[in-house]
Amino acid sequence: MSASVRFDGVHFSYPSGVEALRGVSFGVEPGERLAIVGQNGAGKTTLVRHLNGIFQPSAGTVHVGDRPTTGRSIAELARQVGYVFQNPDEQIFASTVRGDVEFGPRNLGYNADEITARAAAALQTVGLADHADSHPLHLSLSERKRVALAGVLAMGTEIVVLDEPTTGQDARGVELIAGIVESLSAEGRTLIAITHDMDFCAEHFGRVVVMAQGQVQADGDPREVFGCDAALELAAVEPPQLFRLARHLGWSRRPLQVDEFVDAFEVETRG
């Protein structure tokens, strides 16, 4: 079901001359859950926009599956890569929520019944089934972000890219997004998220890449990466709150989730 991703020595410069990526290299295995973190301007969004052909590398190569993205159209890559933009208004264009969500599967060539079924299922998943006939611009920002997510879910792509998925979401919305991440992972999809939400990152992603100044500064298991103080400082990133609290308390353990914190509390305070 899923596909791999590979960045090999990727450089990218904007027409203004700003070099956004400076030799980025790493791979993402099929079915992996990867979070990319770092301050604004680190090159995160520029990097992942190479996956659906919006950008082509100035130097180096990007592979989606076993083929490079160079020479492949956005429409072709959309069959493999579903990209949910940080700003949903860059992605939503139809006059109804249903029409917007149906656009992707229609372009992929599904028949009318399948398009209807996929759109209905996606809207149910993101909690917007009751808004199918609404104009997207009549919805809140958090709801519009979920419309954009539904459009990608309806396409059923092997790779799903989420750019700041929890921004603008309330607690219920974050919980819903988390459930979708877990569900997609259970289906074997490859998941790549850009996020400033370190708690969400620690709870739902098995690998973290830290970026700063257009380069990878750290890459690995969240517990390992969030202990890389120099890389985090360069990227202007703070570890998750439970990790920081445990460090402040002088514990030897570094929990990332509530159940881990409870277990650590019992061990660290025993006796």
Side-chain angles (χ1 to χ4, degrees):
M1 172 62 189
S2 195
S4 61
V5 167
R6 181 75 204 173
F7 301 99
D8 289 308
V10 176
H11 290 255
F12 180 82
S13 296
Y14 285 97
S16 63
V18 173
E19 188 178 25
L21 300 174
R22 300 189 294 150
V24 174
S25 296
F26 66 87
V28 186
E29 294 301 314
E32 192 169 12
R33 281 189 276 183
L34 169 73
I36 305 176
V37 304
Q39 66 186 141
N40 292 337
K44 308 181 301 297
T45 295
T46 300
L47 181 68
V48 297
R49 287 191 175 187
H50 282 72
L51 295 177
N52 62 355
I54 293 177
F55 295 144
Q56 295 287 340
S58 306
T61 59
V62 178
H63 280 75
V64 172
D66 57 1
R67 295 178 56 198
T69 59
T70 305
R72 298 168 70 182
S73 67
I74 293 175
E76 180 184 354
L77 287 166
R79 295 182 175 277
Q80 286 184 282
V81 182
Y83 189 117
V84 184
F85 286 47
Q86 177 179 357
N87 180 0
D89 298 335
E90 295 180 12
Q91 195 162 359
I92 295 172
F93 66 93
S95 59
T96 66
V97 168
R98 178 186 289 107
D100 208 277
V101 177
E102 289 181 346
F103 178 79
R106 178 175 293 109
N107 270 10
L108 294 182
Y110 289 106
N111 63 45
D113 289 343
E114 183 72 8
I115 292 168
T116 299
R118 282 175 170 268
L123 287 171
Q124 187 68 40
T125 298
V126 302
L128 292 175
D130 292 340
H131 294 281
D133 295 318
S134 300
H135 195 295
L137 295 183
H138 295 164
L139 304 181
S140 67
L141 174 62
S142 63
E143 289 170 331
R144 296 200 303 278
K145 284 178 74 76
R146 284 187 273 141
V147 172
L149 174 57
V152 167
L153 296 179
M155 295 171 69
T157 55
E158 303 167 83
I159 300 166
V160 177
V161 179
L162 306 171
D163 197 340
E164 299 293 354
T166 62
T167 299
Q169 300 291 339
D170 59 15
R172 177 182 173 277
V174 171
E175 184 178 356
L176 187 149
I177 299 298
I180 291 171
V181 167
E182 297 295 333
S183 177
L184 291 174
S185 179
E187 293 173 6
R189 313 281 186 93
T190 303
L191 284 164
I192 301 173
I194 294 171
T195 183
H196 283 88
D197 186 339
M198 296 304 113
D199 295 317
F200 180 79
C201 168
E203 291 172 6
H204 301 289
F205 291 85
R207 178 180 167 202
V208 179
V209 165
V210 179
M211 289 189 66
Q213 302 174 357
Q215 296 178 311
V216 173
Q217 306 296 333
D219 178 0
D221 175 89
R223 208 176 313 279
E224 171 190 336
V225 168
F226 287 128
C228 297
D229 293 340
L232 297 187
E233 183 177 359
L234 187 62
V237 169
E238 283 193 331
Q241 58 182 341
L242 294 179
F243 190 99
R244 285 184 279 125
L245 178 57
R247 175 182 282 179
H248 177 74
L249 293 171
W251 292 359
S252 59
R253 296 190 176 197
R254 295 291 184 263
L256 296 175
Q257 302 181 26
V258 172
D259 57 346
E260 293 179 357
F261 187 89
V262 172
D263 291 341
F265 177 83
E266 293 178 354
V267 172
E268 299 284 348
T269 60
R270 184 176 298 157

